[in-house]
Amino acid sequence: KTTFDNNDFLEVKSIFSGVQKNVLSKNFQGGKVTSVFGGSDIDLTQAELQGRVTLRFEVVFGGVKIILPPHWTVHNEIEGVFHGVDDKRKYNHTGTIDAEKVLILKGSVVFGGVEIRSY
């Protein structure tokens, strides 16, 4: 079941479960995603951010998929062991990247993965 979140700070916990969340914040300030033996699908395509915002991950034997607006800049600073961070966004050379909208991914992933997508 997908839930909608209007909060500016995202808090997701999926422990032995799955979470689907659509973020609708017009002043997204980042947050924390925890997945332990679980999975999370986070849709940020309707959210807006200004400046540099940090999204922190703590993933152990789990997976997270985040869907971003195509014009956001992403800096991956995630560390881990036996992990993967796959940026599968489609790049449109005619579109513009907004250097004022930067999402920084931090945290750790152990025996898990993070997938980044745009539509």
Side-chain angles (χ1 to χ4, degrees), residues 9-83:
F9 190 81
L10 178 67
E11 182 86 26
V12 174
K13 293 181 183 175
S14 62
I15 300 173
F16 291 101
S17 65
V19 172
Q20 292 181 325
K21 194 164 283 223
N22 285 356
V23 178
L24 306 175
S25 170
K26 298 305 174 196
N27 186 28
F28 184 63
Q29 296 295 310
K32 183 173 182 181
V33 178
T34 303
S35 290
V36 179
F37 290 98
S40 302
D41 287 345
I42 302 163
D43 186 342
L44 292 165
T45 56
Q46 297 179 61
E48 295 178 17
L49 65 83
Q50 293 298 322
R52 299 170 68 84
V53 172
T54 300
L55 188 57
R56 181 164 295 281
F57 294 87
E58 301 299 332
V59 179
V60 180
F61 290 100
V64 177
K65 178 171 75 171
I66 56 174
I67 305 169
L68 305 176
H71 61 282
W72 287 10
T73 300
V74 176
H75 293 181
N76 175 23
E77 300 177 9
I78 295 175
E79 299 178 355
V81 177
F82 293 108
H83 76 294

